[in-house]
Amino acid sequence: MKFSIATVSLGGTLAEKLAAIAHAGFDGVEIFEADVLAYDGRPADIGTMVRDHGLEIIAFQPFRDFEGMPEPQRSRGFERAKRKFELMNELGARDILVCSNVSPLSLGGIDRAAADLHELGAVAEGFDVRIGYEALAFGRHVWDYRDAWEIVRRADHPRIGLILDSWHVLARKLPVDPIRSIPADRITFVQVADAPAMDMDMLQWSRHFRNFPGQGDMDVDGFMRALLATGYDGWISHEIFNDRFRMASPRRIAEDGERSLVWMRDRLEPGHLPPRVTPEAVEWIEFAISEEDAPALEAVFTGMGFRLTGRHRSKQVTRWSQGAINLVINTEPDGLAHSHQIVHGPSVVAIGLRVGDAAAAFARAAGLRMHVYRGEVGPGELDIPAVRGIGGSLLYFTDSKSDLARVWEIEFEPVEAVPAGPLSRIDHLSQSMSPDEMLSWRLFYLSLFDLDRTPQVDVIDPAGVVESMALHTPDRTLRICMNASASERTQSSRFLDEFFGAGTQHMAFLTDDIFAAAEAMQASGMATLPIPDNYYDDLEARLGLEPEFVDRLRDCGILYDEDENGRFFQIYTRAFRERFFFEIVEREGYTGYGAPNAPIRLAAQARLARAPAIPRL
């Protein structure tokens, strides 16, 4: 397969788009007409710029409302085509995309359309260009690729071929098996796009909500399997219409597009990459923090029952542990953590994941064009494979089959044994990002890890709506909640402003006894998030709970939910320096995240954020 992307998929100037496309590793590009019209220069200059980037122009597009028109529109259509063919010659483009007619003036009839395309093919011979005909899902008369193929077949001209687009096929819920019978040499090229399942006008759905394969709900893989059954081995190209994509960094979107195609090929033809990674545990969470703020964070850890269990042998780094949880405080005056702390303030700079094979995980990440990280390795330190994660943080890979399993022994001087404590392991991580990053990080995690996803839900914040999506391993060893909001005043958005970008905003720890954990925190003098009495009064009435049980929840500041599968308990710490906070949860058969409690928690946090500042510890 050779990979391409249409310039309409990205925002920015044409020069910025081409640079991003080349940097991402694409082989070719579809030049959208609007980019040529807006360019301050000759079409030949565009062709030169494309070739200087090592790219090939696979098509110029689109050519609209051509076939089946009455006079005088029909004659005008042929004159328009000649002008476009001249432009293509100057660009250095050989193929043009002709999409099925949407004009209310257009006339139906497969033979009429075929005759027009045959005549257009004869005109194209004089310019040495080729025609690719595509059925639009919202075409006036032709919206089924099978009709488009019949038109191409009847046109019977060597310059006329078929263009297939997964979105137009799957949006109409058309069967894909008939694709298998189309001769591969009659397919000009193929466009792939995904989209979320939506019930809306076809044109609006197409123009605003497409995304890359793996980011939506369509069976793009089924479409591709039918295509590959024809023996097709030509261009696979993205044509994505998405408002958020065009507002985002063209380099990031281009990288997402390339990654989605690499992952799609891996699903269709396994063996190009090591298998998707199955996380076994979160080995550690590392915090970048100043020496001034470190004692306050250590006090929070101590209040939750963590103890100092190790000091790094050569750096200002400490390990705090409880059960299977390891938290790392990095106050190094130089290096990545220090830079991260300067930019983001107190923050999560790295997450360590234990996997089956760290080297294979790193190789898969590199194959998916992820940003690998190679830091300086000091004497007596391990070279731990890592890639760049959210907000410029790091994602490290360790395993049980190499010296990486001995990281605490090799790099840290022990201080005391790991305490049992009420907290056992990390339950989930919650990360905040801008809305235009949500699909990027979803693609990142799903392409790298063996994860399932839950449907996106809207969470009500006092200042707006937060989009939330959860990803998890089949056994829920790793859970990641992703949150984004278009409102600038929600907690998620305030985090971005204060944090200077996306990052891990809260971490949840699992316990088998939430009351013991809460009482231990109270005994240590640690303040938790205050929950209003009205919540507990409603809880008792809504769920029919015993008053004594509700009083106990109230006394400990514990949020509660239940469903047909079991019960769920939550308690929150206050935000540390308005950056991040911690959650302690107990699960009894419950697999969710306490969605009914989210508005209560967000309102309580918003009240604290508006309260007068208190002196630092």
Short mmCIF file of all heavy atoms in Angstrom, two decimals, residues 141-171:
data_model
loop_
_atom_site.label_atom_id
_atom_site.label_comp_id
_atom_site.label_asym_id
_atom_site.label_seq_id
_atom_site.Cartn_x
_atom_site.Cartn_y
_atom_site.Cartn_z
N HIS A 141 -28.65 11.58 -8.09
CA HIS A 141 -29.12 10.36 -8.75
C HIS A 141 -28.20 9.16 -8.48
O HIS A 141 -28.67 8.03 -8.43
CB HIS A 141 -29.21 10.58 -10.27
CG HIS A 141 -30.17 11.67 -10.66
ND1 HIS A 141 -31.53 11.53 -10.53
CD2 HIS A 141 -29.94 12.90 -11.17
CE1 HIS A 141 -32.12 12.65 -10.94
NE2 HIS A 141 -31.18 13.49 -11.33
N VAL A 142 -26.91 9.43 -8.32
CA VAL A 142 -25.94 8.34 -8.10
C VAL A 142 -25.35 8.50 -6.71
O VAL A 142 -24.58 9.43 -6.45
CB VAL A 142 -24.83 8.38 -9.17
CG1 VAL A 142 -23.82 7.27 -8.92
CG2 VAL A 142 -25.42 8.27 -10.57
N TRP A 143 -25.73 7.61 -5.79
CA TRP A 143 -25.19 7.63 -4.42
C TRP A 143 -24.71 6.26 -3.96
O TRP A 143 -24.26 6.10 -2.85
CB TRP A 143 -26.23 8.17 -3.44
CG TRP A 143 -27.61 7.58 -3.58
CD1 TRP A 143 -28.66 8.12 -4.25
CD2 TRP A 143 -28.08 6.34 -3.05
NE1 TRP A 143 -29.77 7.30 -4.17
CE2 TRP A 143 -29.44 6.20 -3.43
CE3 TRP A 143 -27.51 5.33 -2.29
CZ2 TRP A 143 -30.20 5.09 -3.08
CZ3 TRP A 143 -28.27 4.23 -1.94
CH2 TRP A 143 -29.60 4.11 -2.34
N ASP A 144 -24.77 5.28 -4.87
CA ASP A 144 -24.36 3.90 -4.58
C ASP A 144 -23.16 3.57 -5.46
O ASP A 144 -23.21 3.76 -6.68
CB ASP A 144 -25.53 2.96 -4.87
CG ASP A 144 -25.28 1.53 -4.42
OD1 ASP A 144 -24.15 1.04 -4.60
OD2 ASP A 144 -26.23 0.89 -3.92
N TYR A 145 -22.07 3.10 -4.85
CA TYR A 145 -20.86 2.80 -5.62
C TYR A 145 -21.13 1.76 -6.70
O TYR A 145 -20.43 1.72 -7.73
CB TYR A 145 -19.74 2.33 -4.69
CG TYR A 145 -19.90 0.92 -4.17
CD1 TYR A 145 -19.38 -0.17 -4.85
CD2 TYR A 145 -20.59 0.67 -2.97
CE1 TYR A 145 -19.52 -1.48 -4.37
CE2 TYR A 145 -20.75 -0.61 -2.49
CZ TYR A 145 -20.22 -1.68 -3.19
OH TYR A 145 -20.39 -2.97 -2.71
N ARG A 146 -22.14 0.90 -6.50
CA ARG A 146 -22.45 -0.10 -7.52
C ARG A 146 -22.99 0.56 -8.78
O ARG A 146 -22.68 0.13 -9.91
CB ARG A 146 -23.46 -1.11 -6.96
CG ARG A 146 -22.87 -1.99 -5.86
CD ARG A 146 -23.93 -2.78 -5.12
NE ARG A 146 -24.82 -1.90 -4.34
CZ ARG A 146 -25.76 -2.34 -3.51
NH1 ARG A 146 -25.95 -3.65 -3.38
NH2 ARG A 146 -26.51 -1.49 -2.84
N ASP A 147 -23.78 1.62 -8.63
CA ASP A 147 -24.23 2.38 -9.80
C ASP A 147 -23.07 3.11 -10.45
O ASP A 147 -22.98 3.19 -11.68
CB ASP A 147 -25.32 3.39 -9.39
CG ASP A 147 -26.62 2.71 -8.99
OD1 ASP A 147 -26.88 1.58 -9.45
OD2 ASP A 147 -27.38 3.31 -8.20
N ALA A 148 -22.18 3.66 -9.62
CA ALA A 148 -21.01 4.35 -10.16
C ALA A 148 -20.14 3.38 -10.97
O ALA A 148 -19.65 3.73 -12.06
CB ALA A 148 -20.20 4.98 -9.04
N TRP A 149 -19.98 2.16 -10.46
CA TRP A 149 -19.19 1.18 -11.19
C TRP A 149 -19.87 0.81 -12.51
O TRP A 149 -19.20 0.67 -13.54
CB TRP A 149 -18.96 -0.06 -10.34
CG TRP A 149 -18.50 -1.27 -11.12
CD1 TRP A 149 -19.06 -2.50 -11.13
CD2 TRP A 149 -17.39 -1.35 -12.02
NE1 TRP A 149 -18.38 -3.35 -11.98
CE2 TRP A 149 -17.34 -2.66 -12.53
CE3 TRP A 149 -16.44 -0.43 -12.45
CZ2 TRP A 149 -16.40 -3.08 -13.45
CZ3 TRP A 149 -15.48 -0.84 -13.37
CH2 TRP A 149 -15.47 -2.16 -13.86
N GLU A 150 -21.18 0.69 -12.52
CA GLU A 150 -21.89 0.36 -13.75
C GLU A 150 -21.74 1.49 -14.77
O GLU A 150 -21.58 1.23 -15.97
CB GLU A 150 -23.37 0.10 -13.46
CG GLU A 150 -24.20 -0.31 -14.66
CD GLU A 150 -23.72 -1.59 -15.33
OE1 GLU A 150 -22.97 -2.37 -14.69
OE2 GLU A 150 -24.09 -1.82 -16.50
N ILE A 151 -21.75 2.74 -14.30
CA ILE A 151 -21.53 3.87 -15.20
C ILE A 151 -20.13 3.82 -15.79
O ILE A 151 -19.93 4.01 -17.00
CB ILE A 151 -21.77 5.20 -14.44
CG1 ILE A 151 -23.27 5.37 -14.15
CG2 ILE A 151 -21.24 6.39 -15.23
CD1 ILE A 151 -23.57 6.49 -13.18
N VAL A 152 -19.13 3.55 -14.95
CA VAL A 152 -17.75 3.44 -15.42
C VAL A 152 -17.62 2.28 -16.42
O VAL A 152 -16.96 2.40 -17.47
CB VAL A 152 -16.79 3.25 -14.23
CG1 VAL A 152 -15.39 2.85 -14.71
CG2 VAL A 152 -16.72 4.52 -13.40
N ARG A 153 -18.26 1.16 -16.09
CA ARG A 153 -18.19 -0.01 -16.98
C ARG A 153 -18.79 0.30 -18.35
O ARG A 153 -18.21 -0.03 -19.40
CB ARG A 153 -18.91 -1.18 -16.33
CG ARG A 153 -18.68 -2.53 -17.03
CD ARG A 153 -19.52 -3.62 -16.41
NE ARG A 153 -20.94 -3.42 -16.68
CZ ARG A 153 -21.55 -3.72 -17.83
NH1 ARG A 153 -20.83 -4.23 -18.83
NH2 ARG A 153 -22.83 -3.50 -17.99
N ARG A 154 -19.95 0.96 -18.33
CA ARG A 154 -20.62 1.29 -19.60
C ARG A 154 -19.89 2.40 -20.35
O ARG A 154 -19.96 2.47 -21.59
CB ARG A 154 -22.07 1.69 -19.35
CG ARG A 154 -22.94 0.56 -18.82
CD ARG A 154 -24.41 0.95 -18.82
NE ARG A 154 -25.21 -0.01 -18.05
CZ ARG A 154 -26.53 0.03 -17.98
NH1 ARG A 154 -27.22 0.98 -18.62
NH2 ARG A 154 -27.18 -0.86 -17.26
N ALA A 155 -19.23 3.30 -19.62
CA ALA A 155 -18.45 4.34 -20.29
C ALA A 155 -17.37 3.72 -21.17
O ALA A 155 -17.04 4.24 -22.24
CB ALA A 155 -17.83 5.29 -19.27
N ASP A 156 -16.82 2.60 -20.73
CA ASP A 156 -15.92 1.78 -21.52
C ASP A 156 -14.82 2.60 -22.19
O ASP A 156 -14.66 2.61 -23.41
CB ASP A 156 -16.73 1.01 -22.58
CG ASP A 156 -15.90 -0.07 -23.27
OD1 ASP A 156 -14.92 -0.53 -22.65
OD2 ASP A 156 -16.22 -0.43 -24.42
N HIS A 157 -14.09 3.31 -21.34
CA HIS A 157 -12.99 4.12 -21.87
C HIS A 157 -11.77 3.91 -20.97
O HIS A 157 -11.88 3.92 -19.74
CB HIS A 157 -13.37 5.60 -21.88
CG HIS A 157 -12.46 6.44 -22.71
ND1 HIS A 157 -11.17 6.76 -22.33
CD2 HIS A 157 -12.63 7.03 -23.94
CE1 HIS A 157 -10.59 7.49 -23.25
NE2 HIS A 157 -11.46 7.67 -24.25
N PRO A 158 -10.59 3.70 -21.56
CA PRO A 158 -9.39 3.43 -20.74
C PRO A 158 -9.01 4.57 -19.81
O PRO A 158 -8.24 4.35 -18.86
CB PRO A 158 -8.30 3.17 -21.78
CG PRO A 158 -8.80 3.82 -23.04
CD PRO A 158 -10.28 3.68 -23.00
N ARG A 159 -9.51 5.77 -20.08
CA ARG A 159 -9.19 6.91 -19.21
C ARG A 159 -10.18 7.06 -18.06
O ARG A 159 -10.00 7.96 -17.22
CB ARG A 159 -9.20 8.21 -20.04
CG ARG A 159 -8.16 8.26 -21.12
CD ARG A 159 -6.85 8.78 -20.60
NE ARG A 159 -5.78 8.66 -21.59
CZ ARG A 159 -4.56 9.12 -21.44
NH1 ARG A 159 -4.25 9.73 -20.31
NH2 ARG A 159 -3.65 8.97 -22.37
N ILE A 160 -11.18 6.23 -17.99
CA ILE A 160 -12.23 6.35 -16.98
C ILE A 160 -12.13 5.18 -15.99
O ILE A 160 -12.15 4.01 -16.38
CB ILE A 160 -13.64 6.35 -17.60
CG1 ILE A 160 -13.76 7.44 -18.66
CG2 ILE A 160 -14.70 6.53 -16.52
CD1 ILE A 160 -13.62 8.85 -18.12
N GLY A 161 -11.99 5.52 -14.68
CA GLY A 161 -11.94 4.50 -13.64
C GLY A 161 -12.87 4.86 -12.49
O GLY A 161 -13.55 5.89 -12.50
N LEU A 162 -12.88 4.01 -11.47
CA LEU A 162 -13.76 4.17 -10.31
C LEU A 162 -12.95 4.58 -9.09
O LEU A 162 -11.85 4.07 -8.86
CB LEU A 162 -14.47 2.85 -10.02
CG LEU A 162 -15.41 2.82 -8.82
CD1 LEU A 162 -16.66 3.67 -9.08
CD2 LEU A 162 -15.81 1.38 -8.47
N ILE A 163 -13.48 5.53 -8.33
CA ILE A 163 -12.90 5.88 -7.02
C ILE A 163 -13.87 5.40 -5.95
O ILE A 163 -15.07 5.67 -6.01
CB ILE A 163 -12.68 7.40 -6.90
CG1 ILE A 163 -11.58 7.85 -7.86
CG2 ILE A 163 -12.31 7.78 -5.46
CD1 ILE A 163 -11.38 9.35 -7.91
N LEU A 164 -13.34 4.68 -4.99
CA LEU A 164 -14.13 4.20 -3.86
C LEU A 164 -13.75 4.99 -2.61
O LEU A 164 -12.57 5.24 -2.36
CB LEU A 164 -13.87 2.71 -3.62
CG LEU A 164 -14.39 1.75 -4.70
CD1 LEU A 164 -13.83 0.35 -4.48
CD2 LEU A 164 -15.91 1.72 -4.71
N ASP A 165 -14.76 5.36 -1.84
CA ASP A 165 -14.56 6.10 -0.59
C ASP A 165 -15.33 5.38 0.50
O ASP A 165 -16.55 5.23 0.41
CB ASP A 165 -15.07 7.54 -0.76
CG ASP A 165 -14.82 8.42 0.46
OD1 ASP A 165 -15.05 7.95 1.60
OD2 ASP A 165 -14.41 9.58 0.29
N SER A 166 -14.61 4.95 1.54
CA SER A 166 -15.25 4.16 2.59
C SER A 166 -16.40 4.92 3.26
O SER A 166 -17.42 4.33 3.61
CB SER A 166 -14.22 3.74 3.65
OG SER A 166 -13.70 4.88 4.33
N TRP A 167 -16.26 6.24 3.42
CA TRP A 167 -17.32 6.98 4.11
C TRP A 167 -18.61 6.93 3.30
O TRP A 167 -19.69 6.68 3.85
CB TRP A 167 -16.91 8.44 4.35
CG TRP A 167 -17.92 9.12 5.24
CD1 TRP A 167 -17.90 9.19 6.59
CD2 TRP A 167 -19.14 9.76 4.82
NE1 TRP A 167 -19.03 9.83 7.05
CE2 TRP A 167 -19.80 10.20 5.99
CE3 TRP A 167 -19.73 10.01 3.59
CZ2 TRP A 167 -21.02 10.86 5.95
CZ3 TRP A 167 -20.95 10.68 3.54
CH2 TRP A 167 -21.59 11.10 4.71
N HIS A 168 -18.53 7.17 2.00
CA HIS A 168 -19.74 7.19 1.18
C HIS A 168 -20.40 5.82 1.09
O HIS A 168 -21.62 5.72 0.94
CB HIS A 168 -19.41 7.72 -0.22
CG HIS A 168 -19.06 9.17 -0.25
ND1 HIS A 168 -19.96 10.16 0.03
CD2 HIS A 168 -17.87 9.81 -0.51
CE1 HIS A 168 -19.37 11.34 -0.06
NE2 HIS A 168 -18.10 11.15 -0.37
N VAL A 169 -19.60 4.78 1.21
CA VAL A 169 -20.16 3.42 1.20
C VAL A 169 -20.80 3.09 2.54
O VAL A 169 -21.95 2.64 2.61
CB VAL A 169 -19.05 2.39 0.86
CG1 VAL A 169 -19.59 0.96 1.01
CG2 VAL A 169 -18.52 2.63 -0.55
N LEU A 170 -20.07 3.35 3.62
CA LEU A 170 -20.52 2.91 4.95
C LEU A 170 -21.59 3.83 5.53
O LEU A 170 -22.44 3.38 6.30
CB LEU A 170 -19.32 2.82 5.88
CG LEU A 170 -18.24 1.82 5.44
CD1 LEU A 170 -17.02 1.91 6.34
CD2 LEU A 170 -18.79 0.39 5.43
N ALA A 171 -21.57 5.12 5.18
CA ALA A 171 -22.60 6.03 5.68
C ALA A 171 -23.97 5.61 5.18
O ALA A 171 -24.98 5.75 5.88
CB ALA A 171 -22.29 7.46 5.26
#
